[in-house]
Amino acid sequence: MKENAKILIGDDSILARQQLKDVIALYLDSPVFIEAANGKEAVSKYEEEKPDLTFLDIVMPVRDGILATLEITKKDKDAKIIIVSSIGTQKQLTAAVQAGAIDFVQKPVKDELIQQLLVKYLGGE
């Protein structure tokens, strides 16, 4: 898989960001993590850093993950955004996909699922 992949994690929970970083670090060589505590910050960090893969929580202050996804994908139609949320209703899943998200992960995240997503979207075996 891609070395030094840039991974943006947008979640208002420091713990949730750390858990996701820990799981991703198991499977990627030297990932570069970019963190955002809210949707607005996620959008500006995305624009600055152009990450290879983005994980966004739906429920965040200032701007939620769906609005952030919409803003990012308007500017970059090739953005790879995965929504990570504990409140995944069908309505929100549909809204996230319509906004441009490429996948959806239920919290708490499972290591194997994250590994599959990294392989799927960053290449590798």
Side-chain angles (χ1 to χ4, degrees), residues 1-20:
M1 260 187 286
K2 185 172 181 160
E3 271 189 57
N4 306 318
K6 279 189 187 179
I7 310 291
L8 172 60
I9 300 173
D11 197 311
D12 55 323
S13 161
I14 294 169
L15 181 64
R17 291 197 310 259
Q18 188 59 53
Q19 286 172 330
L20 195 49

Side-chain angles (χ1 to χ4, degrees), residues 23-96:
V23 173
I24 292 168
L26 295 173
Y27 304 110
L28 289 183
D29 289 332
S30 315
V32 177
F33 291 112
I34 304 144
E35 295 184 58
N38 63 58
K40 185 177 181 194
E41 201 179 306
V43 172
S44 60
K45 295 243 175 130
Y46 185 92
E47 289 169 0
E48 286 166 30
E49 301 285 347
K50 299 286 187 259
D52 299 297
L53 197 56
T54 301
F55 291 88
L56 293 178
D57 186 18
I58 288 182
V59 181
M60 291 189 285
V62 187
R63 191 169 296 138
D64 70 22
I66 292 172
L67 280 175
T69 298
L70 198 56
E71 260 185 72
I72 291 168
T73 55
K74 257 187 199 165
K75 295 174 180 158
D76 180 1
K77 64 177 177 40
D78 299 321
K80 293 179 182 170
I81 301 171
I82 296 170
I83 296 292
V84 183
S85 187
S86 54
I87 55 154
T89 64
Q90 192 59 46
K91 186 178 168 192
Q92 283 172 311
L93 176 58
T94 303

